[in-house]
Amino acid sequence: MSEILIKNACVCDPAQGINCETMDICIRDGKIVDSVSGNAKVIDAEGKLTMAGGFDGHTHSAGKINVGRFINPNDARKNLVPGLSGQVARTEKTRAQVGYNTPNTYAIGYRYAKLGYTTICEAAIPLLAARHTHEEFKEIPILDKMGLSLFGSNWQVMEYIRDKEPEKLAAYVAWGLKASRGYGVKIVNPGGGEAWGWGKNVSGLYDPVPNFDVTPAEILMGLAEANERLQLPHSIHVHCNNLGKPGNYATTIETMKLFEKVKPSRDRQSLHVTHVQFNAYAGTSWRDFETGAPMVSDYINGANHLTFDLGQVIFGPAVTMTADGPVEYANSRMLHEKWNNQDIELEDASGVVPLFYSPKSFVNAVQWAIGLELALLVKDPWKMMFTTDSPNGGSFVNYPEAFTYLMSAKRRAEVISGFPKMALDRMVLPGIDRELDFYELAVMTRGAQSKIYSRPEKGNLKAGSDADIAIYDILPDQIDPATEYAKVKKAFSGAAYTLKDGNVVVKDGEIEATPKGRIYWVNAKVPANIDSTVQKDLDLKFKKYYTVSKSNYMVEDMYLENPVEIGTEGVF
Amino acid sequence: MQVVKLSLKKANKIPIEADNVNPDNFAGKTAEEIKAILVWHGNGQFPLGDLFNVEVEGSDSVENTKIVFEGDVSRVKRIGQNMSAGEIEINGNVDMHCGFGMKGGKVVINGDADSWLGCEMTGGEIILNGNASYYVGSGYRGEACGMRGGKITVNGNTKDYLGEHMCGGEILVKGNVGLLPAISNNGGKIVIEGNATMPASEMKNGTVIIKGEVSDLLPSYKEEGTEEVEDVTYRKFVGDVNVGGKGVLLIK
C-alpha cells in the first residue's frame, strides 16, 4: 500500500466546483481517497495551483503522425519551444528525443507529462492500420491512451445505411471497435474519403457518395443511431464536410442542427464536432475570407446537445494530417507543398501536408483569431475542449502559449498588432475582452474531457478518481494572468509536479519516472445472431476486396499494454 | 592572431563529430581549455585532447583565430559547423558535413571533401582544392532551403545533386559535376566550368551557367535567345516550366 499526502494545494477542480481553494489531497494505491494514515509520503504543494492531470481529447500522436515523420525528416531538428522540442540527448531516465510537430513516441510522452497532461486521445485510427497505431501507443510512456476508429467513408457502413439495416450497422461498428481496439466512432468528411477514390469530393450534407447512393447526412445519422444503440461512452466525433473552405460555417451549423433530434443514450452530448476553427470560415473565396465564428458560437450557445474542440492555430511550421484526402490534395496544390496520400482500401483515404502559419498572411491571422473567438464567444466552457488538433493547427507543446491568449486580452492585442490591416477587418477578436480564469481553463483542459468521454475517473480530483495530478508553479491569489502572462506560460510549460496514478513522473519540469500507461477500448455487446450475419458479410468483403485476410486484421491483445476493456450493453 | 594546430593522435575508423571545432569555440582559449572540449566519437563523448594533439599559438578574437588540421581527417565530420568568423585550414581529406550551416569566416580544404559540404550555409567562404562528393551546398533531408548565402569554390569535380534546394549564395565548380546539379533551386548562382548531366530540374529561380558539355538537357526548358556573361555568349533557357519556374540556365 502506497500513500501520498499533497499538502497545501491550491485546488482548482471544476468537477466538484472547487475554485482555487487551499486543501490537502490524499492518495492511496494510485487513487484519490478521503484520508490517509500518518505514514503517507508528504508532498508540500506550497499553495501552488493544483489540477487533475490534463486530458487532450483530440490529438494525432500515433499512426498518421508516423507518415508525418517520414515526409518531414527536417522536423527532427526543429526547436521552436526550447525544452519541449528539438533534439534532446538521452538521460538516465529518458530516451533520446527529436522533433517538434512530429516528435518521436518517447518525446510525446515526456512532453505531455511536462505540461501536466496524463491522458490523450488519438483522434483517428483507420481500422486497417490499427495494429500499427497500437504499436506506437506502446512506445508512448507515462500517458493513458485511447483512440477513435474511423467509420465515415467505410464501404460496409455505407452499404448497411443504404440498405437500411441499422442493427447490422451497429454490430459492424461494435466489431470495428473491437478489431481496432478503439474507444469511439470518428467520422471524417463523411462520404468524402470514398469520393476521393474517384478524384472527387462531396460538397455538403446532401451530395450522394459515388456508387453508394447515400449522402453524408445519412452516414452521420446512421452512425449516430448505431453509436446510441451500442451506448458507447463517447458520442460520434465528427470532422465536418467542407473543412478548410471559405463559407463552410453554414455546413457546420447545418450538421449541428441535424443532431437536435438525436437522443443520447447516456449522460453526454449526442455530437462532438472537432477542430471547429477549420470549419468556421465565412466568405466565398480566399479573397473575401472572414471569420464565421460568431455565427457558429451563436448556434452553440443556444444548443445543449453538442460539444466541440477548437483546433487553435499556432504560428510557425505545422503538419496537417487528416483522413480527409481531398482537402490535403487541395492544400498541397495551393501551397506547392510536398504531400503524402494513403488509400486505406475500403475504409478511407488520408493525407499529410506540411504547412506554415504566418502572422503576415491575412488568412493565417484570421484562422488564428477564429480559434480564440470560438473559445471566448461560447459562454459555457463545459461545451469545449482546448486543442490545437496537434499538429494540424500546431504542436501541443504550444498549449502554454495558447493559454496566455485565452487568459489575457493584453497578450492577444500584442499579437494582433503585428497582423496585416486587411486581417483586422475580417475578425471580431479585437472587440472581445473576455479573459478566462484558471477555473475555466481547468474545465477546457480536463473537466470537459472527462464528461465528453464518459471517463468519470479522469479530469477531476474526486475521491475514487485516478491520482493523475498536475501542480503548477503559480500562486493563484498572487498572480494576475491578464498582465503576468509570461509567468503563466512558464509555469504551464513545466509542471512543478505531475503525478500519474500516484507516481511522481515530473518534478520541477523534469522527468522523474516513466511508468507505462493504460489503453482504453470499448467492447460493445451485440446479440450473437446479428453478429454472425454481419460476420458472413465481412467474410465476403475480405475475400473479394481486401488485400489482407480477416484473421490478419484484428488487433490482438498482445499489442495492448495495460488494456482497460470497457463493456457496454447494446439495445437491440 | 591565434593559431590552433590539431593533428590526430592516431587514424580513426569510427567517426568523430567535430561540430564544436570552430573558431567561435576556440578563440581566446588555452591549449588546456581546448583539449577539454568534448566531442562525440562513436556513441561516447571524449575530450578533444584524447583524440588530437593540440598546439596553440597566441590568443585573439574569433575573427583572428585560425584552426589548422595537419594531415588527413577523412573520418572527422562537421568541422566548422555553424562557424561565424575566423579561418579553418584542412591539409588533407575531410569527412561529411564540413562547413554545415556556416555563417561567416573561411574554410580552406587542401584535399577532398565527402558529401554535404557547406550545406545550408548562410555566409562565409569555402575553398575546396580537391574533389567533393554528393550534395554540395544543399539542404538537410526534407528542408526546402539549402545554401542561402556565402560562396563555395570547388577546384576539382563534384558528384550528383550539387546545390540541391539552393536559395542564395554562389557555387563555382571548376571541374565536372554529376547528375542533376541545381535540382529544385529557389535562388542563388551556380557556375560549372566543366560538364554536367540533366541540370536544373524543378528549378524555380536562380541562375546556372554551364561552360562545358551538357548531356540530357531536360525538355521542360524554354529557349529564349542568348545572353552574354563576361564576353561569352550563351544560349539562354528559362524554366523549369513543370513548376512554373523562372530560373535561368545558360549553356554554351
Side-chain angles (χ1 to χ4, degrees), chain A residues 497-518:
Chain A
Y497 282 96
T498 305
L499 277 77
K500 174 73 184 54
D501 294 319
N503 299 313
V504 175
V505 291
V506 174
K507 195 179 170 203
D508 300 326
E510 295 302 326
I511 299 291
E512 278 290 300
T514 58
K516 293 180 191 299
R518 304 183 193 90

Side-chain angles (χ1 to χ4, degrees), chain B residues 102-161:
Chain B
M102 164 175 183
K103 300 180 193 77
K106 189 175 172 187
V107 174
V108 179
I109 303 160
N110 297 316
D112 295 340
D114 209 317
S115 300
W116 309 97
L117 175 71
C119 281
E120 293 183 24
M121 68 188 275
T122 55
E125 193 180 359
I126 296 178
I127 298 169
L128 171 65
N129 289 319
N131 302 319
S133 195
Y134 303 96
Y135 291 109
V136 173
S138 74
Y140 175 77
R141 295 280 185 225
E143 213 65 70
C145 233
M147 182 173 175
R148 292 151 217 192
K151 185 171 180 184
I152 301 176
T153 305
V154 179
N155 286 317
N157 306 319
T158 80
K159 288 185 181 168
D160 310 342
Y161 312 116

Side-chain angles (χ1 to χ4, degrees), chain A residues 295-529:
Chain A
M295 288 79 97
V296 174
S297 43
D298 260 5
Y299 177 79
I300 295 173
N301 276 330
N304 280 320
H305 63 286
L306 65 95
T307 56
F308 72 104
D309 59 80
L310 295 180
Q312 173 62 34
V313 158
I314 301 293
F315 290 124
V319 183
T320 60
M321 46 185 70
T322 168
D324 195 339
V327 85
E328 290 293 40
Y329 175 74
N331 277 344
S332 75
R333 292 300 101 158
M334 185 167 71
L335 304 165
H336 304 290
E337 255 301 355
K338 54 189 174 184
W339 79 304
N340 171 288
N341 178 216
Q342 305 227 317
D343 173 32
I344 317 291
E345 306 202 358
L346 281 60
E347 298 170 4
D348 239 303
S350 68
V352 178
V353 177
L355 52 74
F356 191 91
Y357 295 110
S358 163
K360 291 194 173 69
S361 146
F362 99 87
V363 170
N364 295 160
V366 175
Q367 287 179 309
W368 177 86
I370 290 173
L372 298 174
E373 287 168 4
L374 287 164
L376 297 165
L377 288 173
V378 172
K379 290 182 190 122
D380 181 2
W382 287 98
K383 286 180 184 167
M384 73 184 97
M385 307 194 290
F386 180 83
T387 68
T388 60
D389 187 11
S390 176
N392 283 282
S395 172
F396 67 87
V397 298
N398 294 288
Y399 280 8
E401 168 78 12
F403 296 161
T404 66
Y405 304 150
L406 296 171
M407 301 186 87
S408 165
K410 191 175 156 212
R411 176 81 183 108
R412 295 198 289 272
E414 230 174 63
V415 178
I416 290 170
S417 69
F419 287 168
K421 214 172 162 295
M422 192 166 154
L424 302 184
D425 306 336
R426 313 297 180 90
M427 59 175 79
V428 298
L429 188 65
I432 302 173
D433 50 12
R434 184 174 168 201
E435 291 171 337
L436 301 186
D437 57 19
F438 292 122
Y439 187 82
E440 289 167 309
L441 198 67
V443 175
M444 288 167 62
T445 53
R446 307 135 151 89
Q449 282 80 350
S450 159
K451 190 88 203 311
I452 288 168
Y453 283 99
S454 304
R455 292 264 46 84
E457 75 277 28
K458 295 279 169 205
N460 65 69
L461 299 171
K462 288 179 192 164
S465 292
D466 290 345
D468 297 348
I469 299 166
I471 304 175
Y472 297 108
D473 196 1
I474 293 176
L475 305 174
D477 51 346
Q478 287 174 32
I479 190 167
D480 176 15
T483 52
E484 296 172 275
Y485 44 76
K487 281 187 194 167
V488 171
K489 182 178 168 181
K490 186 165 178 280
F492 279 110
S493 299
Y497 282 96
T498 305
L499 277 77
K500 174 73 184 54
D501 294 319
N503 299 313
V504 175
V505 291
V506 174
K507 195 179 170 203
D508 300 326
E510 295 302 326
I511 299 291
E512 278 290 300
T514 58
K516 293 180 191 299
R518 304 183 193 90
I519 306 283
Y520 294 92
W521 69 281
V522 172
N523 192 0
K525 212 169 161 190
V526 171
N529 60 332

Side-chain angles (χ1 to χ4, degrees), chain A residues 127-400:
Chain A
L127 304 181
L128 186 60
R131 192 176 287 172
H132 175 251
T133 307
H134 283 284
E135 282 175 325
E136 280 194 59
F137 271 169
K138 226 176 170 175
E139 303 301 326
I140 298 176
I142 302 172
L143 307 175
D144 284 346
K145 287 143 290 212
M146 53 174 79
L148 303 174
S149 307
L150 284 158
F151 289 97
S153 287
N154 187 307
W155 285 20
Q156 197 64 67
V157 166
M158 291 191 292
E159 282 175 12
Y160 283 148
I161 290 171
R162 179 192 62 200
D163 301 340
K164 304 215 166 24
E165 294 184 295
E167 294 186 335
K168 282 189 179 177
L169 175 64
Y172 176 73
V173 169
W175 176 82
L177 289 176
K178 196 173 178 183
S180 61
R181 295 293 197 263
Y183 189 82
V185 175
K186 173 80 182 290
I187 302 170
V188 173
N189 185 16
E194 175 56 27
W196 172 238
W198 304 92
K200 297 182 181 121
N201 198 357
V202 288
S203 64
L205 285 174
Y206 302 101
D207 245 17
V209 181
N211 305 324
F212 280 91
D213 195 28
V214 292
T215 63
E218 286 167 347
I219 296 174
L220 287 167
M221 285 291 105
L223 283 169
E225 204 266 355
N227 198 86
E228 301 311 338
R229 188 186 286 271
L230 295 170
Q231 306 204 45
L232 300 184
H234 185 47
S235 70
I236 60 168
H237 194 106
V238 178
H239 157 136
C240 292
N241 299 109
N242 287 335
L243 176 132
K245 289 186 194 146
N248 62 12
Y249 82 91
T251 313
T252 308
I253 294 175
E254 213 178 346
T255 309
M256 291 170 170
K257 277 190 177 154
L258 207 58
F259 284 78
E260 285 171 3
K261 56 180 186 275
V262 175
K263 201 174 157 298
S265 58
R266 297 171 74 130
D267 179 23
R268 55 153 168 74
Q269 74 290 348
S270 62
L271 168 69
H272 180 86
V273 190
T274 190
H275 41 67
V276 175
Q277 178 275 125
F278 293 109
N279 280 81
Y281 298 165
T284 57
S285 72
W286 291 115
R287 279 172 206 280
D288 63 358
F289 170 74
E290 60 180 354
T291 176
M295 288 79 97
V296 174
S297 43
D298 260 5
Y299 177 79
I300 295 173
N301 276 330
N304 280 320
H305 63 286
L306 65 95
T307 56
F308 72 104
D309 59 80
L310 295 180
Q312 173 62 34
V313 158
I314 301 293
F315 290 124
V319 183
T320 60
M321 46 185 70
T322 168
D324 195 339
V327 85
E328 290 293 40
Y329 175 74
N331 277 344
S332 75
R333 292 300 101 158
M334 185 167 71
L335 304 165
H336 304 290
E337 255 301 355
K338 54 189 174 184
W339 79 304
N340 171 288
N341 178 216
Q342 305 227 317
D343 173 32
I344 317 291
E345 306 202 358
L346 281 60
E347 298 170 4
D348 239 303
S350 68
V352 178
V353 177
L355 52 74
F356 191 91
Y357 295 110
S358 163
K360 291 194 173 69
S361 146
F362 99 87
V363 170
N364 295 160
V366 175
Q367 287 179 309
W368 177 86
I370 290 173
L372 298 174
E373 287 168 4
L374 287 164
L376 297 165
L377 288 173
V378 172
K379 290 182 190 122
D380 181 2
W382 287 98
K383 286 180 184 167
M384 73 184 97
M385 307 194 290
F386 180 83
T387 68
T388 60
D389 187 11
S390 176
N392 283 282
S395 172
F396 67 87
V397 298
N398 294 288
Y399 280 8

